[in-house]
mmCIF file of all heavy atoms in Angstrom:
data_model
loop_
_atom_site.group_PDB
_atom_site.id
_atom_site.type_symbol
_atom_site.label_atom_id
_atom_site.label_comp_id
_atom_site.label_asym_id
_atom_site.label_seq_id
_atom_site.Cartn_x
_atom_site.Cartn_y
_atom_site.Cartn_z
ATOM 1 N N THR Z 1 -21.240 -37.948 84.496
ATOM 2 C CA THR Z 1 -19.893 -38.411 84.636
ATOM 3 C C THR Z 1 -19.221 -37.635 85.814
ATOM 4 O O THR Z 1 -19.284 -36.379 85.825
ATOM 5 C CB THR Z 1 -19.084 -38.234 83.452
ATOM 6 O OG1 THR Z 1 -19.681 -38.976 82.289
ATOM 7 C CG2 THR Z 1 -17.668 -38.925 83.619
ATOM 8 N N PRO Z 2 -18.632 -38.375 86.862
ATOM 9 C CA PRO Z 2 -18.112 -37.629 87.890
ATOM 10 C C PRO Z 2 -16.876 -36.685 87.464
ATOM 11 O O PRO Z 2 -16.148 -36.960 86.454
ATOM 12 C CB PRO Z 2 -17.481 -38.732 88.804
ATOM 13 C CG PRO Z 2 -18.358 -39.897 88.496
ATOM 14 C CD PRO Z 2 -18.653 -39.800 87.055
ATOM 15 N N GLU Z 3 -16.716 -35.583 88.193
ATOM 16 C CA GLU Z 3 -15.764 -34.632 87.897
ATOM 17 C C GLU Z 3 -14.346 -35.164 87.762
ATOM 18 O O GLU Z 3 -13.470 -34.713 86.975
ATOM 19 C CB GLU Z 3 -15.709 -33.430 88.876
ATOM 20 C CG GLU Z 3 -16.953 -32.644 88.793
ATOM 21 C CD GLU Z 3 -16.908 -31.697 87.551
ATOM 22 O OE1 GLU Z 3 -15.874 -31.107 87.203
ATOM 23 O OE2 GLU Z 3 -18.095 -31.473 87.128
ATOM 24 N N GLY Z 4 -13.938 -36.143 88.657
ATOM 25 C CA GLY Z 4 -12.588 -36.598 88.729
ATOM 26 C C GLY Z 4 -12.197 -37.403 87.436
ATOM 27 O O GLY Z 4 -10.974 -37.600 87.291
ATOM 28 N N LEU Z 5 -13.033 -37.827 86.616
ATOM 29 C CA LEU Z 5 -12.790 -38.502 85.445
ATOM 30 C C LEU Z 5 -12.456 -37.577 84.354
ATOM 31 O O LEU Z 5 -13.221 -37.423 83.380
ATOM 32 C CB LEU Z 5 -13.941 -39.492 85.086
ATOM 33 C CG LEU Z 5 -14.336 -40.442 86.264
ATOM 34 C CD1 LEU Z 5 -15.611 -41.198 85.876
ATOM 35 C CD2 LEU Z 5 -13.208 -41.413 86.541
ATOM 36 N N ASN Z 6 -11.411 -36.868 84.423
ATOM 37 C CA ASN Z 6 -11.086 -35.824 83.473
ATOM 38 C C ASN Z 6 -10.248 -36.202 82.260
ATOM 39 O O ASN Z 6 -9.660 -35.352 81.569
ATOM 40 C CB ASN Z 6 -10.415 -34.714 84.279
ATOM 41 C CG ASN Z 6 -9.236 -35.160 85.044
ATOM 42 O OD1 ASN Z 6 -8.852 -36.362 84.921
ATOM 43 N ND2 ASN Z 6 -8.742 -34.305 85.898
ATOM 44 N N THR Z 7 -10.114 -37.424 82.004
ATOM 45 C CA THR Z 7 -9.281 -37.953 80.930
ATOM 46 C C THR Z 7 -10.067 -39.019 80.139
ATOM 47 O O THR Z 7 -10.853 -39.693 80.802
ATOM 48 C CB THR Z 7 -7.941 -38.458 81.216
ATOM 49 O OG1 THR Z 7 -8.005 -39.707 81.981
ATOM 50 C CG2 THR Z 7 -7.064 -37.385 82.013
ATOM 51 N N PRO Z 8 -9.806 -39.246 78.887
ATOM 52 C CA PRO Z 8 -10.534 -40.327 78.140
ATOM 53 C C PRO Z 8 -10.191 -41.604 78.811
ATOM 54 O O PRO Z 8 -11.102 -42.488 78.816
ATOM 55 C CB PRO Z 8 -9.955 -40.170 76.729
ATOM 56 C CG PRO Z 8 -9.517 -38.768 76.601
ATOM 57 C CD PRO Z 8 -8.938 -38.349 77.887
ATOM 58 N N GLY Z 9 -8.983 -41.861 79.168
ATOM 59 C CA GLY Z 9 -8.617 -43.216 79.814
ATOM 60 C C GLY Z 9 -9.528 -43.470 81.042
ATOM 61 O O GLY Z 9 -9.829 -44.544 81.250
ATOM 62 N N LYS Z 10 -9.506 -42.474 81.949
ATOM 63 C CA LYS Z 10 -10.325 -42.625 83.138
ATOM 64 C C LYS Z 10 -11.824 -42.849 82.908
ATOM 65 O O LYS Z 10 -12.358 -43.723 83.463
ATOM 66 C CB LYS Z 10 -10.188 -41.478 83.983
ATOM 67 C CG LYS Z 10 -8.787 -41.257 84.617
ATOM 68 C CD LYS Z 10 -8.741 -40.026 85.518
ATOM 69 C CE LYS Z 10 -7.305 -39.730 86.009
ATOM 70 N NZ LYS Z 10 -7.331 -38.458 86.769
ATOM 71 N N ARG Z 11 -12.254 -42.210 81.885
ATOM 72 C CA ARG Z 11 -13.704 -42.404 81.513
ATOM 73 C C ARG Z 11 -13.895 -43.718 80.907
ATOM 74 O O ARG Z 11 -14.961 -44.397 81.183
ATOM 75 C CB ARG Z 11 -14.141 -41.283 80.503
ATOM 76 C CG ARG Z 11 -14.378 -39.897 81.235
ATOM 77 C CD ARG Z 11 -15.117 -38.941 80.409
ATOM 78 N NE ARG Z 11 -14.286 -38.564 79.205
ATOM 79 C CZ ARG Z 11 -13.537 -37.551 79.227
ATOM 80 N NH1 ARG Z 11 -13.157 -36.915 80.267
ATOM 81 N NH2 ARG Z 11 -12.757 -37.275 78.072
ATOM 82 N N ALA Z 12 -12.959 -44.235 80.059
ATOM 83 C CA ALA Z 12 -13.033 -45.591 79.443
ATOM 84 C C ALA Z 12 -13.091 -46.632 80.585
ATOM 85 O O ALA Z 12 -13.886 -47.582 80.546
ATOM 86 C CB ALA Z 12 -11.973 -45.786 78.510
ATOM 87 N N LEU Z 13 -12.214 -46.516 81.570
ATOM 88 C CA LEU Z 13 -12.136 -47.417 82.697
ATOM 89 C C LEU Z 13 -13.460 -47.419 83.489
ATOM 90 O O LEU Z 13 -14.054 -48.441 83.833
ATOM 91 C CB LEU Z 13 -11.051 -47.181 83.580
ATOM 92 C CG LEU Z 13 -9.607 -47.444 83.047
ATOM 93 C CD1 LEU Z 13 -8.539 -46.890 83.885
ATOM 94 C CD2 LEU Z 13 -9.481 -49.009 82.809
ATOM 95 N N TYR Z 14 -13.954 -46.221 83.753
ATOM 96 C CA TYR Z 14 -15.258 -46.051 84.552
ATOM 97 C C TYR Z 14 -16.425 -46.701 83.875
ATOM 98 O O TYR Z 14 -17.147 -47.440 84.458
ATOM 99 C CB TYR Z 14 -15.494 -44.550 84.685
ATOM 100 C CG TYR Z 14 -16.762 -44.234 85.352
ATOM 101 C CD1 TYR Z 14 -17.020 -44.221 86.704
ATOM 102 C CD2 TYR Z 14 -17.864 -43.609 84.586
ATOM 103 C CE1 TYR Z 14 -18.160 -43.906 87.247
ATOM 104 C CE2 TYR Z 14 -18.901 -43.212 85.086
ATOM 105 C CZ TYR Z 14 -19.189 -43.339 86.429
ATOM 106 O OH TYR Z 14 -20.379 -42.939 87.004
ATOM 107 N N ASN Z 15 -16.493 -46.477 82.519
ATOM 108 C CA ASN Z 15 -17.564 -46.895 81.749
ATOM 109 C C ASN Z 15 -17.612 -48.522 81.632
ATOM 110 O O ASN Z 15 -18.619 -49.161 81.391
ATOM 111 C CB ASN Z 15 -17.638 -46.328 80.363
ATOM 112 C CG ASN Z 15 -18.094 -44.864 80.483
ATOM 113 O OD1 ASN Z 15 -18.850 -44.543 81.290
ATOM 114 N ND2 ASN Z 15 -17.653 -44.097 79.496
ATOM 115 N N ASN Z 16 -16.308 -49.071 81.737
ATOM 116 C CA ASN Z 16 -16.178 -50.482 81.597
ATOM 117 C C ASN Z 16 -16.043 -51.138 82.857
ATOM 118 O O ASN Z 16 -15.855 -52.481 82.891
ATOM 119 C CB ASN Z 16 -15.048 -50.838 80.626
ATOM 120 C CG ASN Z 16 -15.331 -50.540 79.302
ATOM 121 O OD1 ASN Z 16 -15.980 -51.264 78.589
ATOM 122 N ND2 ASN Z 16 -14.946 -49.339 78.741
ATOM 123 N N LEU Z 17 -16.070 -50.568 83.974
ATOM 124 C CA LEU Z 17 -16.090 -51.095 85.295
ATOM 125 C C LEU Z 17 -17.360 -50.902 86.152
ATOM 126 O O LEU Z 17 -17.297 -50.463 87.259
ATOM 127 C CB LEU Z 17 -14.781 -50.566 86.091
ATOM 128 C CG LEU Z 17 -13.552 -50.985 85.472
ATOM 129 C CD1 LEU Z 17 -12.353 -50.153 86.147
ATOM 130 C CD2 LEU Z 17 -13.235 -52.479 85.753
ATOM 131 N N ASP Z 18 -18.458 -50.924 85.421
ATOM 132 C CA ASP Z 18 -19.737 -50.757 86.090
ATOM 133 C C ASP Z 18 -19.896 -49.488 86.785
ATOM 134 O O ASP Z 18 -20.461 -49.401 87.847
ATOM 135 C CB ASP Z 18 -20.012 -51.938 87.000
ATOM 136 C CG ASP Z 18 -20.117 -53.258 86.223
ATOM 137 O OD1 ASP Z 18 -20.574 -53.279 85.075
ATOM 138 O OD2 ASP Z 18 -19.687 -54.323 86.784
ATOM 139 N N LYS Z 19 -19.279 -48.402 86.158
ATOM 140 C CA LYS Z 19 -19.491 -47.025 86.660
ATOM 141 C C LYS Z 19 -18.897 -46.950 88.069
ATOM 142 O O LYS Z 19 -19.268 -46.152 88.912
ATOM 143 C CB LYS Z 19 -21.009 -46.604 86.750
ATOM 144 C CG LYS Z 19 -21.547 -46.802 85.398
ATOM 145 C CD LYS Z 19 -21.381 -45.545 84.477
ATOM 146 C CE LYS Z 19 -22.315 -45.673 83.301
ATOM 147 N NZ LYS Z 19 -21.669 -45.202 82.109
ATOM 148 N N ASN Z 20 -17.751 -47.740 88.350
ATOM 149 C CA ASN Z 20 -17.159 -47.692 89.674
ATOM 150 C C ASN Z 20 -15.989 -46.735 89.659
ATOM 151 O O ASN Z 20 -14.837 -47.062 89.195
ATOM 152 C CB ASN Z 20 -16.645 -49.155 90.088
ATOM 153 C CG ASN Z 20 -16.078 -49.233 91.403
ATOM 154 O OD1 ASN Z 20 -15.601 -48.318 92.005
ATOM 155 N ND2 ASN Z 20 -15.990 -50.409 91.952
ATOM 156 N N GLU Z 21 -16.187 -45.505 90.087
ATOM 157 C CA GLU Z 21 -15.262 -44.454 90.018
ATOM 158 C C GLU Z 21 -13.950 -44.709 90.838
ATOM 159 O O GLU Z 21 -12.891 -44.505 90.385
ATOM 160 C CB GLU Z 21 -15.957 -43.102 90.533
ATOM 161 C CG GLU Z 21 -14.878 -41.899 90.443
ATOM 162 C CD GLU Z 21 -15.393 -40.665 90.944
ATOM 163 O OE1 GLU Z 21 -16.667 -40.610 91.429
ATOM 164 O OE2 GLU Z 21 -14.840 -39.634 90.879
ATOM 165 N N GLU Z 22 -14.146 -45.295 92.106
ATOM 166 C CA GLU Z 22 -13.052 -45.543 92.920
ATOM 167 C C GLU Z 22 -12.103 -46.476 92.315
ATOM 168 O O GLU Z 22 -10.885 -46.380 92.234
ATOM 169 C CB GLU Z 22 -13.587 -46.083 94.277
ATOM 170 C CG GLU Z 22 -12.490 -46.369 95.237
ATOM 171 C CD GLU Z 22 -13.004 -46.931 96.609
ATOM 172 O OE1 GLU Z 22 -14.101 -46.553 96.951
ATOM 173 O OE2 GLU Z 22 -12.277 -47.596 97.191
ATOM 174 N N LEU Z 23 -12.674 -47.617 91.713
ATOM 175 C CA LEU Z 23 -11.909 -48.588 91.075
ATOM 176 C C LEU Z 23 -11.161 -48.039 89.786
ATOM 177 O O LEU Z 23 -9.952 -48.379 89.604
ATOM 178 C CB LEU Z 23 -12.687 -49.855 90.682
ATOM 179 C CG LEU Z 23 -12.003 -51.098 89.965
ATOM 180 C CD1 LEU Z 23 -10.794 -51.557 90.943
ATOM 181 C CD2 LEU Z 23 -12.995 -52.154 89.702
ATOM 182 N N ALA Z 24 -11.918 -47.301 88.937
ATOM 183 C CA ALA Z 24 -11.300 -46.710 87.855
ATOM 184 C C ALA Z 24 -10.102 -45.787 88.149
ATOM 185 O O ALA Z 24 -9.047 -45.833 87.502
ATOM 186 C CB ALA Z 24 -12.354 -45.917 87.054
ATOM 187 N N MET Z 25 -10.289 -45.021 89.279
ATOM 188 C CA MET Z 25 -9.166 -44.074 89.661
ATOM 189 C C MET Z 25 -7.997 -44.898 90.178
ATOM 190 O O MET Z 25 -6.840 -44.603 89.996
ATOM 191 C CB MET Z 25 -9.704 -43.120 90.701
ATOM 192 C CG MET Z 25 -10.710 -42.227 90.265
ATOM 193 S SD MET Z 25 -10.177 -41.115 88.910
ATOM 194 C CE MET Z 25 -9.444 -39.841 89.884
ATOM 195 N N LYS Z 26 -8.298 -45.991 90.968
ATOM 196 C CA LYS Z 26 -7.203 -46.810 91.482
ATOM 197 C C LYS Z 26 -6.413 -47.562 90.373
ATOM 198 O O LYS Z 26 -5.218 -47.535 90.349
ATOM 199 C CB LYS Z 26 -7.873 -47.912 92.430
ATOM 200 C CG LYS Z 26 -6.703 -48.633 93.136
ATOM 201 C CD LYS Z 26 -7.366 -49.544 94.172
ATOM 202 C CE LYS Z 26 -6.287 -50.250 95.046
ATOM 203 N NZ LYS Z 26 -6.914 -51.039 96.078
ATOM 204 N N ILE Z 27 -7.098 -48.046 89.281
ATOM 205 C CA ILE Z 27 -6.489 -48.653 88.227
ATOM 206 C C ILE Z 27 -5.563 -47.629 87.436
ATOM 207 O O ILE Z 27 -4.512 -47.952 87.070
ATOM 208 C CB ILE Z 27 -7.475 -49.359 87.312
ATOM 209 C CG1 ILE Z 27 -7.937 -50.668 88.017
ATOM 210 C CG2 ILE Z 27 -6.805 -49.724 85.932
ATOM 211 C CD1 ILE Z 27 -9.096 -51.274 87.277
ATOM 212 N N ASP Z 28 -6.151 -46.400 87.283
ATOM 213 C CA ASP Z 28 -5.507 -45.357 86.465
ATOM 214 C C ASP Z 28 -4.113 -44.976 87.197
ATOM 215 O O ASP Z 28 -3.105 -44.941 86.647
ATOM 216 C CB ASP Z 28 -6.279 -44.106 86.437
ATOM 217 C CG ASP Z 28 -5.586 -42.978 85.771
ATOM 218 O OD1 ASP Z 28 -5.475 -42.969 84.537
ATOM 219 O OD2 ASP Z 28 -5.173 -42.029 86.539
ATOM 220 N N GLU Z 29 -4.299 -44.888 88.537
ATOM 221 C CA GLU Z 29 -3.143 -44.544 89.333
ATOM 222 C C GLU Z 29 -1.990 -45.684 89.311
ATOM 223 O O GLU Z 29 -0.909 -45.455 89.200
ATOM 224 C CB GLU Z 29 -3.367 -44.315 90.784
ATOM 225 C CG GLU Z 29 -2.362 -43.968 91.727
ATOM 226 C CD GLU Z 29 -2.748 -43.824 93.154
ATOM 227 O OE1 GLU Z 29 -3.956 -43.574 93.320
ATOM 228 O OE2 GLU Z 29 -1.862 -43.805 94.026
ATOM 229 N N THR Z 30 -2.506 -46.874 89.343
ATOM 230 C CA THR Z 30 -1.572 -48.034 89.271
ATOM 231 C C THR Z 30 -0.805 -48.094 88.023
ATOM 232 O O THR Z 30 0.357 -48.395 87.960
ATOM 233 C CB THR Z 30 -2.461 -49.354 89.570
ATOM 234 O OG1 THR Z 30 -3.090 -49.344 90.838
ATOM 235 C CG2 THR Z 30 -1.479 -50.544 89.475
ATOM 236 N N ILE Z 31 -1.601 -47.929 86.936
ATOM 237 C CA ILE Z 31 -1.059 -47.986 85.608
ATOM 238 C C ILE Z 31 0.043 -46.901 85.373
ATOM 239 O O ILE Z 31 1.192 -47.014 84.945
ATOM 240 C CB ILE Z 31 -2.114 -47.937 84.487
ATOM 241 C CG1 ILE Z 31 -2.934 -49.073 84.538
ATOM 242 C CG2 ILE Z 31 -1.411 -47.838 83.049
ATOM 243 C CD1 ILE Z 31 -2.348 -50.474 84.472
ATOM 244 N N ARG Z 32 -0.264 -45.676 85.750
ATOM 245 C CA ARG Z 32 0.638 -44.624 85.653
ATOM 246 C C ARG Z 32 1.898 -44.761 86.472
ATOM 247 O O ARG Z 32 3.020 -44.433 86.067
ATOM 248 C CB ARG Z 32 0.013 -43.206 86.126
ATOM 249 C CG ARG Z 32 -1.094 -42.841 85.155
ATOM 250 C CD ARG Z 32 -1.772 -41.554 85.525
ATOM 251 N NE ARG Z 32 -2.947 -41.275 84.662
ATOM 252 C CZ ARG Z 32 -2.830 -40.744 83.540
ATOM 253 N NH1 ARG Z 32 -1.729 -40.597 82.889
ATOM 254 N NH2 ARG Z 32 -3.985 -40.540 82.798
ATOM 255 N N LYS Z 33 1.897 -45.465 87.625
ATOM 256 C CA LYS Z 33 3.046 -45.697 88.433
ATOM 257 C C LYS Z 33 3.764 -46.893 87.908
ATOM 258 O O LYS Z 33 5.014 -46.835 88.072
ATOM 259 C CB LYS Z 33 2.524 -46.157 89.846
ATOM 260 C CG LYS Z 33 2.071 -44.892 90.672
ATOM 261 C CD LYS Z 33 1.762 -45.286 92.154
ATOM 262 C CE LYS Z 33 1.373 -44.193 92.977
ATOM 263 N NZ LYS Z 33 0.872 -44.507 94.206
ATOM 264 N N THR Z 34 3.188 -47.938 87.246
ATOM 265 C CA THR Z 34 4.028 -49.152 86.975
ATOM 266 C C THR Z 34 4.289 -49.171 85.407
ATOM 267 O O THR Z 34 5.175 -50.067 85.178
ATOM 268 C CB THR Z 34 3.180 -50.293 87.379
ATOM 269 O OG1 THR Z 34 1.853 -50.382 86.686
ATOM 270 C CG2 THR Z 34 3.012 -50.366 88.846
ATOM 271 N N ARG Z 35 3.699 -48.585 84.583
ATOM 272 C CA ARG Z 35 3.926 -48.690 83.113
ATOM 273 C C ARG Z 35 5.432 -48.472 82.818
ATOM 274 O O ARG Z 35 5.887 -47.379 83.057
ATOM 275 C CB ARG Z 35 2.909 -48.015 82.329
ATOM 276 C CG ARG Z 35 3.221 -46.517 82.426
ATOM 277 C CD ARG Z 35 2.441 -45.572 81.451
ATOM 278 N NE ARG Z 35 2.809 -44.339 81.678
ATOM 279 C CZ ARG Z 35 2.135 -43.321 81.618
ATOM 280 N NH1 ARG Z 35 0.845 -43.433 81.163
ATOM 281 N NH2 ARG Z 35 2.519 -42.129 81.804
ATOM 282 N N PRO Z 36 5.995 -49.377 82.034
ATOM 283 C CA PRO Z 36 7.293 -49.046 81.517
ATOM 284 C C PRO Z 36 7.216 -48.206 80.224
ATOM 285 O O PRO Z 36 6.129 -48.201 79.555
ATOM 286 C CB PRO Z 36 7.926 -50.462 81.242
ATOM 287 C CG PRO Z 36 6.971 -51.356 81.773
ATOM 288 C CD PRO Z 36 5.610 -50.704 81.926
ATOM 289 N N ASP Z 37 8.315 -47.479 79.905
ATOM 290 C CA ASP Z 37 8.289 -46.754 78.647
ATOM 291 C C ASP Z 37 8.144 -47.765 77.443
ATOM 292 O O ASP Z 37 8.716 -48.861 77.463
ATOM 293 C CB ASP Z 37 9.583 -45.957 78.483
ATOM 294 C CG ASP Z 37 9.593 -44.800 79.425
ATOM 295 O OD1 ASP Z 37 8.443 -44.309 79.904
ATOM 296 O OD2 ASP Z 37 10.688 -44.337 79.824
ATOM 297 N N ALA Z 38 7.520 -47.277 76.459
ATOM 298 C CA ALA Z 38 7.370 -48.092 75.184
ATOM 299 C C ALA Z 38 6.888 -49.483 75.466
ATOM 300 O O ALA Z 38 7.518 -50.510 74.995
ATOM 301 C CB ALA Z 38 8.564 -48.026 74.428
ATOM 302 N N TRP Z 39 5.845 -49.671 76.177
ATOM 303 C CA TRP Z 39 5.440 -51.033 76.723
ATOM 304 C C TRP Z 39 4.592 -51.793 75.675
ATOM 305 O O TRP Z 39 4.489 -52.954 75.605
ATOM 306 C CB TRP Z 39 4.753 -50.922 78.006
ATOM 307 C CG TRP Z 39 3.491 -50.058 77.883
ATOM 308 C CD1 TRP Z 39 3.295 -48.683 78.282
ATOM 309 C CD2 TRP Z 39 2.167 -50.462 77.637
ATOM 310 N NE1 TRP Z 39 2.030 -48.350 78.129
ATOM 311 C CE2 TRP Z 39 1.278 -49.331 77.801
ATOM 312 C CE3 TRP Z 39 1.556 -51.702 77.360
ATOM 313 C CZ2 TRP Z 39 -0.074 -49.467 77.601
ATOM 314 C CZ3 TRP Z 39 0.214 -51.719 77.112
ATOM 315 C CH2 TRP Z 39 -0.640 -50.624 77.277
ATOM 316 N N ARG Z 40 3.892 -51.084 74.851
ATOM 317 C CA ARG Z 40 2.965 -51.652 73.766
ATOM 318 C C ARG Z 40 3.745 -52.537 72.833
ATOM 319 O O ARG Z 40 4.701 -52.198 72.206
ATOM 320 C CB ARG Z 40 2.203 -50.682 72.974
ATOM 321 C CG ARG Z 40 1.031 -50.046 73.797
ATOM 322 C CD ARG Z 40 0.285 -49.016 72.961
ATOM 323 N NE ARG Z 40 -0.798 -48.487 73.700
ATOM 324 C CZ ARG Z 40 -0.649 -47.420 74.616
ATOM 325 N NH1 ARG Z 40 0.587 -46.995 74.868
ATOM 326 N NH2 ARG Z 40 -1.738 -47.006 75.210
ATOM 327 N N GLY Z 41 3.245 -53.773 72.729
ATOM 328 C CA GLY Z 41 3.899 -54.735 71.834
ATOM 329 C C GLY Z 41 5.117 -55.535 72.390
ATOM 330 O O GLY Z 41 5.631 -56.413 71.796
ATOM 331 N N VAL Z 42 5.573 -55.144 73.648
ATOM 332 C CA VAL Z 42 6.695 -55.943 74.261
ATOM 333 C C VAL Z 42 6.098 -56.686 75.349
ATOM 334 O O VAL Z 42 5.698 -56.181 76.352
ATOM 335 C CB VAL Z 42 7.733 -54.916 74.796
ATOM 336 C CG1 VAL Z 42 8.816 -55.527 75.449
ATOM 337 C CG2 VAL Z 42 8.208 -53.873 73.721
ATOM 338 N N GLN Z 43 6.070 -58.049 75.075
ATOM 339 C CA GLN Z 43 5.393 -58.909 76.001
ATOM 340 C C GLN Z 43 5.931 -58.763 77.505
ATOM 341 O O GLN Z 43 5.063 -58.745 78.398
ATOM 342 C CB GLN Z 43 5.529 -60.352 75.580
ATOM 343 C CG GLN Z 43 4.646 -61.292 76.382
ATOM 344 C CD GLN Z 43 4.665 -62.730 75.879
ATOM 345 O OE1 GLN Z 43 5.559 -63.032 74.936
ATOM 346 N NE2 GLN Z 43 3.858 -63.591 76.471
ATOM 347 N N ALA Z 44 7.253 -58.618 77.702
ATOM 348 C CA ALA Z 44 7.625 -58.622 79.024
ATOM 349 C C ALA Z 44 7.158 -57.325 79.811
ATOM 350 O O ALA Z 44 6.841 -57.297 81.064
ATOM 351 C CB ALA Z 44 9.217 -58.608 79.100
ATOM 352 N N ARG Z 45 7.080 -56.310 79.096
ATOM 353 C CA ARG Z 45 6.613 -54.956 79.550
ATOM 354 C C ARG Z 45 5.100 -54.987 79.904
ATOM 355 O O ARG Z 45 4.608 -54.421 80.798
ATOM 356 C CB ARG Z 45 7.067 -53.807 78.742
ATOM 357 C CG ARG Z 45 8.518 -53.660 78.794
ATOM 358 C CD ARG Z 45 8.965 -52.471 77.803
ATOM 359 N NE ARG Z 45 10.399 -52.415 77.702
ATOM 360 C CZ ARG Z 45 11.114 -51.510 76.973
ATOM 361 N NH1 ARG Z 45 10.434 -50.861 76.121
ATOM 362 N NH2 ARG Z 45 12.352 -51.582 76.984
ATOM 363 N N GLU Z 46 4.436 -55.631 78.844
ATOM 364 C CA GLU Z 46 2.982 -55.783 79.155
ATOM 365 C C GLU Z 46 2.698 -56.651 80.342
ATOM 366 O O GLU Z 46 1.671 -56.357 81.021
ATOM 367 C CB GLU Z 46 2.332 -56.351 77.810
ATOM 368 C CG GLU Z 46 2.281 -55.411 76.675
ATOM 369 C CD GLU Z 46 1.696 -56.037 75.440
ATOM 370 O OE1 GLU Z 46 1.293 -57.140 75.394
ATOM 371 O OE2 GLU Z 46 1.519 -55.263 74.376
ATOM 372 N N GLN Z 47 3.577 -57.642 80.717
ATOM 373 C CA GLN Z 47 3.312 -58.529 81.782
ATOM 374 C C GLN Z 47 3.464 -57.735 83.057
ATOM 375 O O GLN Z 47 2.797 -57.941 83.931
ATOM 376 C CB GLN Z 47 4.322 -59.663 81.746
ATOM 377 C CG GLN Z 47 3.993 -60.676 80.701
ATOM 378 C CD GLN Z 47 2.582 -61.284 80.813
ATOM 379 O OE1 GLN Z 47 2.082 -61.399 81.854
ATOM 380 N NE2 GLN Z 47 1.982 -61.641 79.624
ATOM 381 N N VAL Z 48 4.276 -56.705 83.021
ATOM 382 C CA VAL Z 48 4.526 -55.861 84.216
ATOM 383 C C VAL Z 48 3.071 -55.128 84.550
ATOM 384 O O VAL Z 48 2.734 -55.077 85.757
ATOM 385 C CB VAL Z 48 5.675 -54.713 83.955
ATOM 386 C CG1 VAL Z 48 5.593 -53.770 85.152
ATOM 387 C CG2 VAL Z 48 6.967 -55.469 83.923
#
């Protein structure tokens, strides 16, 4: 596993994206920038 995948979330993305580290890191960064607070279970926030 590459060194940059230092959280369980990043590793889960990496393992489910055909071991594409660049894509996993890009998705991680995107989610961290865009996720609203308390988004789970709120359809409008999940759509964001």
